[in-house]
Amino acid sequence: MTLREFLEQSVQRVGEKVLMRHKRGGEWHEISYAEFLALVRNASEFLARICHVRHGTRVAILAGNSPEWCIAYYAIVSLGAIAVPIDAKLREQEITHILSDSGTSTIFADARFYATIRDIEDACPDLRHAVFFNVLRRDLAFSKPRRVKYHEFEKLMDATRTFSESKDAAYTRLPAPKDDDIASFIYTSGTTGRQKGAMLTHANFTSDFQAMYDSIDVFEDDNFLLLLPLNHAFAFTTSLVVPICAGCEISFVESLRTISENIRETRPTIVCGVPLLLEKIRDKVKSSIKANKVGHSLWNMGLRAPIRKRIHENLGGRIRLFISGGAPIDSQILSDFADFGLHPVEGYGLTECAPVVAVTPCNEGQRGKPGSCGKALEGIEIAILDANEEGVGMIAVKGPNVMKGYFNNPAATEEVFRDGWFLTGDLGRLDEEGFLFITGRKKSLIVNREGKNIYPEEVENQINRSPYIMECVVLGYREENESVGEHVGVIVAPDEEAIAAKEKQLKRKMTEDEVRDLLKSEVRAQAQQLADYKRPRKVQVRWEEFNKTATGKIKRYLYAMNEASL
């Protein structure tokens, strides 16, 4: 089935039920399933009528989480067009690459990105329309003649609402998508600095929903808390696709600062988050226990039932499942959550797999294993290729959730497939019961605690643009008190000729400290072109060339970050 068919099925079953709950102007607003479908039909009408979107047209979304994001996405894919979600934290050159590489013709964006799109539109030859959400300022130059036509979302909705309600509406007139049609290009960081668009079909997403539905208990009265960015495949599938297909509710958090307040107000039952988020919740709960002398004493005495009850009440009183994904989680965090009387489970997945591959069993009578990220979802196969004597090898995945390939990049596609298996680049083992244990990464990918993937080569290519840097190695590192997730660090080697030219300009010899400061400032300057989470937090200077292989590649395994800082 397609995403559109699942939405229609849920509308027929629970049409008057609340689908989305969001807060604006200090008040909570609700959208029912039937209202949401009407809004989707409305948006698809102006996409077809005004923006000339048809089957296969690429339409990007550059915005934070909101009902409008969801309306735009479902309107796009309901026409058989392809949605291109973009991380709102990316820099201009990264956004430009995605729009240009994908051939995006229309983009939905928050009004705050007006200047960005205006500045990059000439570098995006296929872009014809930009539709802005939340336009409050009247000084946006929508009326100025430009090659790209600028629109306000609400005005387009008003202009086409009547048409969308007619028998000749684009939603019903144009061909509906098929399950093997591409629904999304989701761009991941590339090993050569070029981001790759994973081509994910309707069936990829809906099969992953069905597999999750069969592996964990999801009920129609569940309320999913949406707090991760929807451009992230983990958030998109687990906190949007799954609840819509299952007929559940979705509650939006206002911001990361208001999570605690929003949880109490919306009383969710399922929370999907990255390890960093769960760690923050864990730390806040622990702090509240310590701050209460009586409660702390009862906790230490083992009289924990009343404290657990209070913890549950502070989290809305209904949470029955925390799902951690996007990055490995410290087992101590899982243990602490269990101690609180909560039920955390860990999952494993990749963007290219839509994204969930495995999850800790949490149906009645099933439990996980310490250190494992669970078992393969129903209908998905996991194999360990080229295993060593301990059973550790490359994790490979096969199933209806696996992408078609990378858009416009056959070489990269060929590199990650072997005999029908998708090669994850992760190392692991399977035990006799089928539980998956991640043991490492074959590739040099850095994964931070928010679940963001950073390819060192992408950051290195940007930093090496500095004339004062001959070469560099980007590495992941952890602080002393951290056991999971990594930060980005870089070791740089100066270009002696460029430094000599600089000294000639200064008419004096530079000290080592001056050279070091120059290189650090160059790293900062070059990193401005990257998303914040990709920027090195530590810089180490090496005064000689790096050790290399016979083919000239740096032996990055020889190097590690010290205490140097940016």
Side-chain angles (χ1 to χ4, degrees):
M1 289 178 64
T2 65
L3 292 166
R4 166 174 161 161
E5 287 172 327
F6 264 111
L7 171 60
E8 291 171 343
Q9 192 177 81
S10 292
V11 170
Q12 290 174 2
R13 193 174 69 252
V14 292
E16 300 309 309
K17 179 182 174 182
V18 172
L19 165 56
M20 294 177 179
R21 187 178 288 104
H22 64 288
K23 196 173 188 180
R24 282 187 185 156
E27 294 184 2
W28 286 97
H29 302 269
E30 297 177 344
I31 300 174
S32 72
Y33 272 85
E35 290 169 336
F36 181 75
L37 179 56
L39 292 167
V40 167
R41 288 175 60 100
N42 195 168
S44 66
E45 187 67 31
F46 75 67
L47 281 175
R49 183 178 293 270
I50 297 173
C51 302
H52 310 293
V53 170
R54 294 294 186 271
H55 188 280
T57 303
R58 270 79 79 186
V59 182
I61 309 176
L62 177 63
N65 289 356
S66 67
E68 288 82 3
W69 195 106
C70 306
I71 293 164
Y73 184 93
Y74 271 85
I76 295 164
V77 300
S78 291
L79 294 175
I82 299 169
V84 185
I86 301 177
D87 187 342
K89 292 184 178 179
L90 294 183
R91 310 297 289 182
E92 281 191 10
Q93 72 173 21
E94 297 166 304
I95 295 170
T96 302
H97 167 71
I98 292 174
L99 294 178
S100 178
D101 184 73
S102 64
T104 287
S105 70
T106 297
I107 182 171
F108 288 94
D110 280 334
R112 61 192 170 99
F113 290 108
Y114 170 79
T116 299
I117 295 172
R118 182 192 60 204
D119 291 343
I120 68 175
E121 68 170 62
D122 290 339
C124 305
D126 297 297
L127 192 62
R128 291 290 180 271
H129 297 271
V131 181
F132 292 91
F133 303 137
N134 308 315
V135 178
L136 301 176
R137 293 160 44 209
R138 294 294 97 186
D139 57 345
L140 300 187
F142 287 179
S143 59
K144 281 190 175 182
R146 308 184 69 92
R147 180 180 63 80
V148 175
K149 294 181 174 61
Y150 287 25
H151 312 276
E152 294 185 38
F153 178 79
E154 288 298 336
K155 286 186 176 180
L156 291 183
M157 293 286 275
D158 289 342
T160 57
R161 185 167 289 114
T162 301
F163 295 108
S164 73
E165 295 168 350
S166 70
K167 293 181 180 180
D168 196 38
Y171 185 91
T172 52
R173 183 181 76 253
L174 297 177
K178 298 180 175 62
D179 59 4
D180 63 347
D181 285 340
I182 297 169
S184 292
F185 291 168
I186 299 186
Y187 277 77
T188 63
S189 296
T191 57
T192 61
R194 182 187 179 207
Q195 293 172 311
K196 302 171 295 186
M199 298 185 290
L200 293 159
T201 67
H202 285 258
N204 288 153
F205 290 120
T206 58
S207 68
D208 209 45
F209 150 70
Q210 194 63 58
M212 288 187 65
Y213 189 80
D214 292 339
S215 298
I216 62 175
D217 290 325
V218 178
F219 308 108
E220 281 192 0
D221 62 352
D222 272 322
N223 178 8
F224 284 71
L225 188 70
L226 176 55
L227 40 79
L228 297 177
L230 281 168
N231 65 274
H232 196 297
F234 174 53
F236 175 75
T237 298
T238 62
S239 301
L240 182 64
V241 173
V242 168
I244 285 180
C245 291
C248 306
E249 295 180 5
I250 302 169
S251 293
F252 290 74
V253 298
E254 296 172 87
S255 70
L256 293 179
R257 295 187 301 274
T258 61
I259 289 177
S260 297
E261 175 188 345
N262 294 159
I263 285 178
R264 287 192 296 272
E265 292 173 326
T266 61
R267 304 180 68 230
T269 60
I270 298 178
V271 178
C272 301
V274 293
L276 180 60
L277 175 70
L278 270 65
E279 182 180 338
K280 289 183 179 297
I281 293 175
R282 186 274 308 268
D283 292 345
K284 190 162 187 177
V285 171
K286 278 192 165 186
S287 296
S288 66
I289 293 173
K290 288 181 180 179
N292 186 313
K293 290 184 179 180
V294 175
H296 194 212
S297 297
L298 291 173
W299 188 265
N300 290 335
M301 292 168 59
L303 302 174
R304 299 182 174 181
I307 311 303
R308 287 183 179 134
K309 183 179 179 182
R310 184 64 181 272
I311 292 171
H312 279 252
E313 289 173 352
N314 287 337
L315 292 172
R318 298 180 63 214
I319 292 180
R320 63 180 185 81
L321 190 61
F322 277 96
I323 301 177
S324 175
I329 188 169
D330 188 338
S331 59
Q332 185 59 51
I333 297 175
L334 296 176
S335 177
D336 289 338
F337 265 80
D339 211 18
F340 298 152
L342 302 170
H343 302 286
V345 300
E346 185 174 6
Y348 169 72
L350 306 95
T351 297
E352 293 87 345
C353 297
V356 186
V357 171
V359 70
T360 304
C362 52
N363 286 332
E364 188 175 349
Q366 299 189 67
R367 291 292 178 267
K369 290 187 178 182
S372 167
C373 56
K375 302 171 75 171
L377 295 178
E378 190 72 29
I380 297 174
E381 297 177 70
I382 296 176
I384 305 298
L385 306 183
D386 308 321
N388 62 18
E389 294 178 355
E390 298 175 345
V392 175
M394 170 79 78
I395 300 171
V397 178
K398 184 185 289 186
N401 61 317
V402 177
M403 70 170 183
K404 281 191 171 183
Y406 296 114
F407 176 68
N408 203 24
N409 200 334
T413 301
E414 185 178 355
E415 188 179 322
V416 296
F417 281 97
R418 184 197 299 179
D419 299 327
W421 290 92
F422 172 72
L423 309 179
T424 67
D426 294 323
L427 299 175
R429 63 180 178 85
L430 290 168
D431 71 6
E432 63 283 353
E433 295 181 69
F435 280 86
L436 178 64
F437 294 79
I438 308 296
T439 59
R441 292 188 179 276
K442 191 170 183 179
K443 53 195 178 186
S444 54
L445 185 69
I446 298 168
V447 181
N448 69 13
R449 293 196 299 163
E450 296 177 15
K452 297 281 191 180
N453 293 345
I454 304 108
Y455 280 88
E457 294 88 346
E458 180 185 4
V459 183
E460 289 165 359
N461 287 345
Q462 182 63 40
I463 292 174
N464 283 336
R465 293 184 180 185
S466 166
Y468 297 104
I469 295 174
M470 179 177 64
E471 55 189 356
C472 68
V473 172
V474 169
L475 302 164
Y477 72 93
R478 291 175 182 158
E479 301 290 358
E480 194 173 309
N481 61 340
E482 297 174 337
S483 59
V484 295
E486 295 177 302
H487 305 291
V488 180
V490 63
I491 305 174
V492 298
D495 186 303
E496 297 294 348
E497 290 186 6
I499 297 298
K502 178 76 171 177
E503 290 175 334
K504 188 175 181 179
Q505 184 182 13
L506 294 172
K507 298 180 180 179
R508 64 175 177 83
K509 188 79 172 174
M510 296 177 69
T511 66
E512 277 195 7
D513 284 344
E514 286 177 323
V515 174
R516 186 179 286 107
D517 289 343
L518 172 63
L519 296 179
K520 288 183 177 181
S521 68
E522 286 294 303
V523 170
R524 282 196 296 270
Q526 293 299 330
Q528 289 299 311
Q529 300 303 314
L530 299 170
D532 291 348
Y533 66 88
K534 298 178 184 178
R535 298 176 189 175
R537 290 177 50 171
K538 288 186 177 181
V539 178
Q540 180 179 330
V541 176
R542 177 180 171 83
W543 301 101
E544 56 190 22
E545 287 190 31
F546 292 94
N547 292 306
K548 298 182 177 69
T549 65
T551 58
K553 293 182 179 179
I554 295 174
K555 298 179 180 178
R556 63 175 66 245
Y557 62 85
L558 295 176
Y559 304 99
M561 296 303 300
N562 62 16
E563 296 304 311
S565 65
L566 187 57

